[in-house]
Amino acid sequence: MDSPAPVDAARVRRRRSALPWRATAFLAAWIVIAGAAPAELAVGLVTSCAAAWVSLFLLPPGLHRLHAPALVRYVLHVARQSVLGAVEVAGLALQPRPPLRPGFVVAPLDVHGGARAVFCAAASLVPGTLPVRAVPDGGILLHALRCDRPVLDGWRQDEALFRAAVADAGR
């Protein structure tokens, strides 16, 4: 009978140090969504600890490193683009004949692994474009309301800001 593989001490240390940070982040998200009343907080505490534990296996620590200043720039950029996109889409909705040119565009994407899913989720928050699915060459099929505009220029800028925020996202 074979003995179990030795546990990688460095991996265990990374998981132990990541667990409280992740639990805190999940709890903060819970409070934003459900509130901080005692009953909600008790459920949120248990749920955030469980979510943090599961996240250690689904996205092990050390795969991607976050760069705080670049992450703040990216989050502010996405927030700004979301507001501007929402104003534009609202303006289009109020026009009797909006100048829409809907269609699909294949966008290159050099972000891999779990970071790819995070990037596409963030990109879906910006009104006017929506990642639809991956394409065989590694890119993403985007649906855009205004294909008469340079959709890919904005996509490339978003990707560059994201890659600056998440080191090793291109692996």
Side-chain angles (χ1 to χ4, degrees):
M1 184 147 120
D2 293 331
S3 63
V7 176
D8 181 9
R11 184 172 54 187
V12 170
R13 276 194 308 277
R14 282 194 305 268
R15 283 187 176 171
R16 281 188 185 153
S17 68
L19 186 63
W21 291 106
R22 289 184 184 198
T24 302
F26 282 122
L27 183 60
W30 181 275
I31 290 170
V32 167
I33 294 169
E40 284 87 6
L41 201 53
V43 174
L45 187 60
V46 172
T47 304
S48 64
C49 288
W53 179 258
V54 170
S55 77
L56 293 175
F57 298 96
L58 296 177
L59 187 61
L63 290 180
H64 304 293
R65 286 185 294 280
L66 298 178
H67 295 284
L71 183 61
V72 168
R73 278 192 298 276
Y74 177 70
V75 168
L76 292 175
H77 172 76
V78 169
R80 179 178 178 272
Q81 292 302 104
S82 294
V83 170
L84 293 175
V87 169
E88 180 183 7
V89 169
L92 290 171
L94 295 174
Q95 294 179 14
R97 292 184 180 220
L100 298 179
R101 299 281 186 262
F104 293 95
V105 177
V106 174
L109 183 59
D110 191 25
V111 176
H112 306 284
R116 183 183 186 96
V118 171
F119 176 76
C120 287
S124 72
L125 297 174
V126 179
T129 59
L130 181 68
V132 177
R133 65 176 170 83
V135 294
D137 69 353
I140 296 289
L141 183 66
L142 293 177
H143 179 269
L145 291 178
R146 301 283 308 263
C147 284
D148 58 333
R149 294 206 174 156
V151 175
L152 294 182
D153 290 348
W155 180 262
R156 286 186 191 102
Q157 181 184 13
D158 294 349
E159 181 184 356
L161 288 169
F162 181 81
R163 289 186 66 177
V166 181
D168 306 325
R171 280 201 279 169

